[in-house]
Amino acid sequence: MRIGRGLARLGLVLGLALAAPLARADSFAAALTDAYNNSGLLDQNRALLRVADEDVAIAAAGLRPIVSWAASATHSWPAPSPDADEITFNLGISANLTLYDGGASQLAIRAQQENVLATRQALINVEQQVLLRAATAYLNVQRDSEFVNLRRSNVRVLTEEFRAAQDRFDVGEVTRTDVSLAEARLAAARSLLAAAEGNLARSVEEFRAAVGRRPGTLSSAPRVPLSRSVEQAKAYAVQRHPQILQAQHAVTGAELNIQRAEAALRPTVDLGGRLNFDNDFNDSGSISLSVGGPIYSGGAIEATIRQARARRDASRAQLHVTSAGIQQGVGNAYAIYSVARAGREAYERQVRAARVAFEGVREEANLGARTTLDVLNAEQELLDAQANLVSAQIDEILAGYSILSSMGLLTAEQLRLDVQTYDPEAYYNLVKDAPAGLSPQGRALDRVLQSIGN
């Protein structure tokens, strides 16, 4: 019978669609590697880290002598005497060195060093964000590609069913209602295909933004092996997560700034010197030692101290908030993972049952015990189950990487990506002693900056 041939073709197309494997051309590790290498956000935050490094150099300069020069030319009339020059020249060189400032300069260096350490942790956290965004983009492209494949297969299946319904209508085996039903399902399938293609196009654009290039045909992403319980993961995260470490360094820096503000109440000792040359290169000079300190500042120093204490309190509160947020993030990530894993297992059973049901309905339709609508409904249930399974599988893998991120482990080093990792200490070691531009270390620094700029 023609109905039997039509249902047989429907089953064949559907079976081929569900059994077709994905081609492999683009790996998950390659996408994360390109995201790391192409990230403008990482470049931006590396530059911000170099800014923090320079703050240490600026603070260290406060313990160095400051040498400056000044030159002047003065034209006077009438001349004070017939033998005097109408234009006099003067060249002066002065130097100043702070011998004692109550420890303020040393405290400033230590506070800026804590800021550098905090900024390094912020850079690691940005690295996690970049890699998680790339992983999410990769998996979403994979998900939407599967959806498009399923929708295209559905359109092909329903196209065959529509043609079969028309053939059967022509010979009087079915009514116009069966043809219209198949046509309506085909139109709905084409609409869903267009929506799936639109979602895929958006996912591709997000992939391009996150990774720096268009995706190829994606292979399956590796699952994350989870060896810790949720409580163990929380305990690890509150000790090692970069946001926690960043907040801890911020608290330490705030406490140092309190001591720095209090140092302004102590006296300062400065050593100064000056050497002058006139028109005839006659020299004169002076050396001075000055001691001074505040008697009354209108309350400004005391206000600065109170302000530093308030900032320290705010930093401590931020540490508490960050700790609670990290623990919540780990708990949420594990909950999402558990739900995704349970969903994947349930959808696997649903797909198996839906496939058996579809094959049974198709055979019953061949015997005349089922209608075209029954076959279409069974086919739709199998398609929906397959789509749900694909989504659950992607969600489970993505949840695993979200857990790594919540614990502070989603980094290029931990994932063993084939990248040239950024060394945060290299630049710091060049600038921490505030090298002069003409020194060998300063020239080495210029070469580093030129390389970074290129």
Side-chain angles (χ1 to χ4, degrees), residues 1 69 72 124-125 182 212 228 274 303 313 346 358 367 399-400 404 408 420 427 442 448:
M1 294 177 62
W69 64 273
S72 63
I124 295 175
N125 197 53
R228 292 182 174 90
R274 183 172 181 82
D313 295 341
F358 169 72
L367 300 175
L404 288 184
Q420 181 66 42
Y427 187 86
V448 169

Side-chain angles (χ1 to χ4, degrees), residues 28 66 105 228 264 304 362 426 441:
F28 185 74
I66 305 300
S105 295
R228 292 182 174 90
T304 302
R362 184 181 60 188
Q441 192 175 8

Side-chain angles (χ1 to χ4, degrees), residues 78 102 136 152 188 279 360 424:
T136 302
R152 285 175 179 169
N279 293 25

Side-chain angles (χ1 to χ4, degrees), residues 44-296:
Q44 176 190 4
N45 282 270
R46 289 165 183 163
L48 292 177
L49 177 56
R50 294 195 293 274
V51 170
D53 292 341
E54 296 292 357
D55 285 335
V56 176
I58 293 171
L63 297 175
R64 306 282 183 79
I66 305 300
V67 182
S68 59
W69 64 273
S72 63
T74 305
H75 178 218
S76 302
W77 69 90
S81 65
D83 297 332
D85 295 329
E86 293 184 355
I87 299 177
T88 59
F89 297 93
N90 186 69
L91 173 64
I93 299 176
S94 62
N96 187 75
L97 175 64
T98 299
L99 299 179
Y100 176 76
D101 61 358
S105 295
Q106 287 289 354
L107 289 166
I109 293 174
R110 291 174 57 193
Q112 294 302 337
Q113 287 172 338
E114 290 297 328
N115 183 48
V116 167
L117 295 176
T119 308
R120 288 180 185 178
Q121 296 302 321
L123 176 59
I124 295 175
N125 197 53
V126 170
E127 179 181 339
Q128 287 205 130
Q129 295 172 11
V130 168
L131 295 179
L132 183 60
R133 182 186 180 187
T136 302
Y138 185 99
L139 291 168
N140 281 337
V141 169
Q142 191 175 48
R143 183 204 315 266
D144 291 332
S145 296
E146 290 284 354
F147 284 173
V148 167
N149 290 336
L150 288 171
R151 295 300 176 189
R152 285 175 179 169
S153 298
N154 189 34
V155 168
R156 288 195 297 269
V157 168
L158 293 177
T159 299
E160 291 293 327
E161 176 59 25
F162 175 60
R163 291 172 181 171
Q166 285 181 321
D167 292 342
R168 294 195 298 272
F169 174 75
D170 291 339
V171 297
E173 292 182 359
V174 297
T175 66
R176 172 64 67 181
T177 301
D178 294 287
V179 177
S180 298
L181 180 62
E183 184 179 10
R185 286 294 181 93
L186 177 59
R190 287 172 174 167
S191 175
L192 292 174
L193 172 60
E197 290 174 339
N199 291 336
L200 177 59
R202 287 193 294 270
S203 294
V204 168
E205 291 303 321
E206 170 60 14
F207 186 99
R208 189 204 300 268
V211 178
R213 59 172 174 81
R214 287 183 60 86
T217 302
L218 307 184
S219 61
S220 297
R223 296 179 182 274
V224 176
L226 300 177
S227 58
R228 292 182 174 90
S229 67
V230 62
E231 294 304 324
Q232 291 174 331
K234 287 181 179 180
Y236 181 91
V238 296
Q239 294 180 352
R240 303 290 184 86
H241 196 282
Q243 285 184 315
I244 292 289
L245 299 179
Q246 179 184 358
Q248 289 174 344
H249 288 302
V251 170
T252 304
E255 291 173 344
L256 290 170
N257 282 328
I258 294 176
Q259 301 176 44
R260 181 184 176 188
E262 292 171 343
L265 296 171
R266 304 187 186 103
T268 59
V269 180
D270 294 319
L271 176 65
R274 183 172 181 82
L275 182 63
N276 294 317
F277 297 91
D278 59 16
N279 293 25
D280 299 323
F281 294 99
N282 297 317
D283 63 271
S284 61
S286 64
I287 297 177
S288 63
L289 182 67
S290 61
V291 180
I295 296 177
Y296 176 69

